[in-house]
Amino acid sequence: MSLSEVSPKAIRMIRSFYIVTMGCQMNEYDSDYLAQSLLGKGIFISPSPNEADLIIINTCSVREKPEQKAVSQIGRMLSIKKRRPSIIVGAVGCVAQDKGTELMERFPGLDFVLGPRELHRIVGVIEELEKDRKRIVATDLKGRCRNPVVQPEYFSGRISGYISIMEGCNNFCSYCIVPFVRGREVSKPVPDIKREVEFLAAQNVRDITLLGQNVNSYSYYDGQGIVTLSSLLRSLDEIEDVWRLRFTTSHPRDLTDELIDCFGSVGKLCPHIHLPFQAGSNRILALMGRGYTREY
C-alpha cells in the first residue's frame, strides 16, 4: 500500500456508504464482500450516493466501453464531492488495478484506489482516511484468495447468490487484460467455500453460482489430494439446503470428461454451461492464444 499527498480537508467519522457496481458477476460478489466488511465496522448502507459519507465505484475494464463508463461514473460521483467536500470517494476493481496512479492524477478528488486483490484492506483504508485523509493507492496482485466475510441477514430476500472459488488467469490470451488486472490463478480452500455456501443457504439462498475468471481450472490440495471443480461440485451437492448449482466462466481448454460427467451425475447442477469458443477458425484461435482448435 502506498500513500500519496495529504488531502486538504479533514474527514468526519464515516456513518454510511454507497457502492456503484459495474461489470461482471465477480464484481457483484466483490461489492457484496465490501458491503459486508463495512457493515461489520458499523457503517450502514445509504439509499443514495447523495446522502453517503463514503462512495465506492467498483469498476470493470474487460472491454473498452465498460472502462469508459467507469471513468465517467467516477467523474459523476466526484461531482457530489464538490458539493460535500468531507465525503470519501474511492475506485476499486479492474480499472483501479490497471490505471491506479493515473486515476489519482486525473481525479484529484479521488481518495483511494484498490485493486481486486486488495479489497480485504477496505476497513483499514477507511480507518486511515478517517485519521489523516492521505490518498491511498493499493494495487498488489500477490496473495491468496481473501477469507470470506459473513454478515448475518445480509442476503435475506435473495434466492440466488455468487461465491468466488478462484481468482485470476494463467492463460494470457493475446487480446485479454484479465491476467494483468486479476493476477495469476489462486484457488480458495474447500472449507472456506463450504462455509460460504452454508452461510448463504442459512439465509434461504437456494441457487448458487460458483465464480472464477477460469472457473474450471479450480485446483486445491486438501492434504490428501487435489480437489478439482468436478469433485468440489460433488461435495457441494451434499449440502441439503442448496437446490441448484451453477458455475461460470469456463475455458474450453480446461473442460474435462470428468467435469462433463457431472452434468449427468450431480443432481443439483443445472444443465447449463458457459463455454466461450471465441472463434471457429483455427488461425484466429492461434492468434488469440486460446490453446485449442475447433476440432478439439
Side-chain angles (χ1 to χ4, degrees), residues 17-50:
F17 69 90
Y18 186 88
I19 300 176
V20 180
T21 305
M22 314 180 74
C24 66
Q25 297 101 322
M26 187 70 82
N27 271 16
E28 292 184 42
Y29 174 83
D30 288 344
S31 288
D32 283 336
Y33 174 90
L34 292 170
Q36 291 179 90
S37 299
L38 294 168
L39 286 167
K41 188 180 182 287
I43 306 174
F44 299 99
I45 299 174
S46 171
S48 164
N50 294 304

Side-chain angles (χ1 to χ4, degrees), residues 233-234 237-238 242-245 261-271:
L233 287 168
R234 296 183 193 282
D237 191 48
E238 298 174 359
V242 174
W243 297 352
R244 294 176 177 175
L245 292 169
D261 288 342
C262 286
F263 287 96
S265 58
V266 177
K268 295 175 182 177
L269 182 60
C270 290

Side-chain angles (χ1 to χ4, degrees), residues 32 36 39 149-163 195-208 239 241-243:
D32 283 336
Q36 291 179 90
L39 286 167
V149 173
V150 291
Q151 185 65 28
E153 306 304 319
Y154 178 80
F155 292 96
S156 293
R158 301 193 199 182
I159 191 66
S160 60
Y162 300 118
I163 293 177
R195 180 186 173 204
E196 282 192 81
V197 171
E198 291 167 351
F199 170 68
L200 290 178
Q203 298 184 59
N204 296 317
V205 175
R206 299 291 179 244
D207 188 324
I208 292 177
I239 298 178
D241 289 334
V242 174
W243 297 352

